[in-house]
Amino acid sequence: MSIASAPLPSSDRLDVAAQLREALLAVDFTADGLLELLGAPAYAALARSETVPALRATRGDGALETLVRLFLLQRTVPHARVAAVLPVDALLESGWLAEADGGLAATVDVRPYGGPDGEDWFIVSDLGCAVGGAGGIGSHDEGVVLGVGGASTTLAGLTVRTPVESALDLGTGSGIQALHAAQHATRVTATDLNPRALHITRLTLALSGAPVATVLEGSLFEPVGEETYDLIVSNPPFVISPGARLTYRDGGMSGDDLCRSLVQQAGERLNEGGYAHFLANWQHVDGEEWTERLRSWVPRGCDAWIVQREVQDITQYAELWLRDAGDHRTDPEEYAARYDAWLDEFDARKTRAVGFGWITLRKTAAAAGSAEPSVTVEEWPHPVEQPLGETVRAHFARQDFLRAHDDAALLAGHFKLADEVVQEQVGLPGAEDPEHVVLRQHRGMRRATKVDTVGAGFAGVCDGSLSAGRILDAIAQLVGEDPVLLRDRTPAQIRLLVEQGFLEPAGV
């Protein structure tokens, strides 16, 4: 029997899910409990789908060791050991456990997951598929449901978490985004093309003690009709591949058309002020700037912030996803044929590389009106602070401010230096003046930018008490420069420092 056709626990028995949750928490089957039991190296190995260190650490017969072997390591455990910890009869009846080789075995992977505010959640996934994304799960099973991987946690971390009435998790998979959304959305809808994923999402929510979500089967926005939302999140099957062999990752459309369609259609599904967050892949095509390609995806009526985090040439990209499916462990000729098919696909579309990153939209009347929409497309492969949701919200708030303030209004405004910004001076040892000054953030995007001495002095004085114009007048007097000329040339630098988050408008 394939993984994707194996029976799943009943999603209707909320009482049994509650009993199981209570039993798991009673023996500290949590993210913190596992870290203490296994130790950091074995715990980290589990996230890479490596089980040997955890097997060595669970050779005892304690309650927590029993549950780790049962649910995380998928080992058959003697009936008596399981019965000492779990309500076995109810779990057998509802399908969480099954008889196997004289003992008991789990029918699904149950993995503890720590919520952003210390919540103890549990992510359900198919056996052997707990780690989502490109990690070499080696499954050719078309309908498997993966658990939480790096992409899932990245998307969860960059989502704006303000309270909303309605949220949509499009392509929910194991339900991790719906679980996060349920903490700040009154109503959550989860969709997926794979009915097995919807079933597992119900299990994830129930076992985590989260409110029930509306689950709908179908592709892209088709299941929700004309419904609109305050928040849309999607970690879609973004892999650009020849065909749609694996539902959990392959888009099934030509090239990057699935990601483009998803982003373009999101505008009309967002309520005013609503956010849409996507992970995506996009092609770098000969003769076309990738930044302009991404700009063309942004729907009317939306501001956008698009960040390219990584770029791979087509050979690296093909090898990554062939290994993800375990094709490198098949017959060498079959592997070579599949590799060749990927390169044929890229050649046909004149694709030389593939980018990966984040796309955030915000629906705003200003972007739909006479004002120019704010569309930022940038490459930022450097480390950032997670969670990033508040940084994303602040980015768009600053765009609103800048759109509403011309240079005269900017000079009349009051600003303060953002938290944990430091100044670095670069120059030859012993030199009287630095060659250049760098402002560096230690929060959020962790940017660095060069400024001149006026910009550095201006930023250092900004505490919200004086207007920008008055600060520049004081600097002009100090350096012996014409204050009118200084006021005339400095707003562009102030605008950049605000846009990048080094300066914050006081009171915003």
Side-chain angles (χ1 to χ4, degrees):
M1 180 184 296
S2 68
I3 296 173
S5 61
L8 291 171
S10 170
S11 61
D12 297 325
R13 295 294 305 274
L14 298 182
D15 58 327
V16 177
Q19 291 179 55
L20 177 55
R21 173 177 173 79
E22 184 178 348
L24 298 178
L25 293 177
V27 298
D28 205 16
F29 186 72
T30 63
D32 289 341
L34 292 188
L35 181 59
E36 184 175 348
L37 171 70
L38 302 177
Y43 187 75
L46 270 182
R48 303 190 299 269
S49 291
E50 295 289 350
T51 59
V52 172
L55 284 167
R56 292 172 61 87
T58 56
R59 289 171 172 167
D61 58 2
L64 184 53
E65 290 164 307
T66 295
L67 295 185
V68 171
R69 283 190 163 251
L70 185 68
F71 286 118
L72 267 65
L73 305 179
Q74 281 98 57
R75 293 302 191 270
T76 299
V77 180
H79 191 291
R81 283 186 59 183
V82 180
V85 187
L86 301 176
V88 167
D89 291 342
L91 295 177
L92 283 169
E93 180 188 356
S94 59
W96 289 93
L97 299 178
E99 303 278 359
D101 299 325
L104 295 173
T107 59
V108 288
D109 185 291
V110 175
R111 189 150 304 219
Y113 179 86
D117 296 315
E119 302 93 343
D120 289 317
W121 293 339
F122 300 97
I123 308 302
V124 181
S125 62
D126 273 317
L127 296 174
C129 301
V131 179
I137 67 167
S139 176
H140 293 81
D141 209 338
E142 193 266 347
V144 297
V145 180
L146 274 59
V148 176
S152 302
T153 55
T154 294
L155 179 60
L158 65 89
T159 299
V160 175
R161 297 295 176 192
T162 53
V164 294
E165 173 64 28
S166 58
L168 171 64
D169 176 12
L170 193 153
T172 186
S174 60
I176 177 60
Q177 308 304 330
L179 181 55
H180 276 278
Q183 309 309 303
H184 64 102
T186 304
R187 177 170 50 88
V188 176
T189 300
T191 70
D192 206 289
L193 187 62
N194 183 1
R196 189 175 182 87
L198 299 177
H199 190 124
I200 285 181
T201 289
R202 292 189 188 98
L203 298 177
T204 290
L205 294 173
L207 195 56
S208 298
V212 174
T214 299
V215 297
L216 301 172
E217 181 181 345
S219 178
L220 299 180
F221 290 102
E222 179 271 330
V224 301
E226 301 302 317
E227 189 75 24
T228 58
Y229 299 88
D230 302 314
L231 173 68
I232 298 172
V233 291
S234 184
N235 177 16
F238 52 65
V239 176
I240 301 170
S241 62
R245 186 163 57 118
L246 300 175
T247 303
Y248 68 82
R249 65 164 212 193
D250 297 329
M253 295 185 182
S254 181
D256 52 19
D257 284 354
L258 182 137
C259 291
R260 176 186 55 79
S261 298
L262 188 59
V263 173
Q264 289 181 337
Q265 293 173 21
E268 60 188 23
R269 311 290 177 160
L270 278 175
N271 294 326
E272 184 71 22
Y275 288 91
H277 302 274
F278 307 98
L279 300 186
N281 279 181
W282 45 78
Q283 298 169 130
H284 285 228
V285 179
D286 283 337
E288 183 178 357
E289 286 293 331
W290 72 269
T291 54
E292 293 307 308
R293 181 181 187 83
L294 271 293
R295 284 180 179 275
S296 73
W297 290 12
V298 178
R300 178 175 173 79
C302 290
D303 294 330
W305 186 16
I306 302 172
V307 181
Q308 180 167 273
R309 296 287 289 159
E310 184 179 359
V311 181
Q312 290 184 319
D313 67 49
I314 56 174
T315 59
Q316 292 174 310
Y317 188 80
E319 290 163 13
L320 172 70
W321 294 107
L322 287 167
R323 283 176 168 77
D324 174 74
D327 290 319
H328 59 303
R329 294 194 286 269
T330 62
D331 176 74
E333 291 189 6
E334 182 180 347
Y335 173 79
R338 289 194 183 280
Y339 198 153
D340 204 38
W342 282 66
L343 297 186
D344 283 344
E345 173 77 7
F346 288 133
D347 285 346
R349 298 184 66 83
K350 299 182 180 179
T351 300
R352 55 182 171 79
V354 177
F356 169 82
W358 320 322
I359 298 176
T360 297
L361 306 177
R362 186 193 54 163
K363 188 73 169 286
T364 172
S370 58
E372 190 73 18
S374 168
V375 179
T376 301
V377 184
E378 61 177 323
E379 185 166 21
W380 190 254
H382 311 294
V384 300
E385 180 185 37
Q386 281 283 25
L388 204 62
E390 178 54 28
T391 298
V392 173
R393 187 208 60 76
H395 167 87
F396 287 99
R398 293 194 301 271
Q399 304 312 307
D400 286 343
F401 175 87
L402 293 172
R403 184 157 45 200
H405 289 71
D406 59 15
D407 285 356
L410 208 62
L411 291 174
H414 293 239
F415 302 91
K416 58 182 180 180
L417 190 66
D419 293 337
E420 296 191 40
V421 172
V422 299
Q423 176 179 305
E424 300 173 357
Q425 297 188 170
V426 180
L428 294 174
E432 184 174 343
D433 296 313
E435 293 179 13
H436 59 263
V437 177
V438 173
L439 298 182
R440 187 178 302 277
Q441 300 168 348
H442 286 278
R443 301 294 304 273
M445 293 293 285
R446 295 175 175 163
R447 298 184 188 276
T449 189
K450 289 183 183 180
V451 292
D452 59 20
T453 53
V454 170
F458 178 87
V461 174
C462 283
D463 60 4
S465 61
L466 296 175
S467 70
R470 289 189 61 185
I471 293 174
L472 289 178
D473 290 344
I475 291 175
Q477 185 175 10
L478 186 65
V479 300
E481 188 168 340
D482 186 333
V484 175
L485 294 178
L486 192 60
R487 278 174 170 255
D488 192 50
R489 69 177 174 84
T490 306
Q493 189 169 192
I494 297 174
R495 194 170 292 275
L496 179 65
L497 292 175
V498 172
E499 182 179 0
Q500 295 190 345
F502 290 92
L503 294 178
E504 299 172 351
V508 175

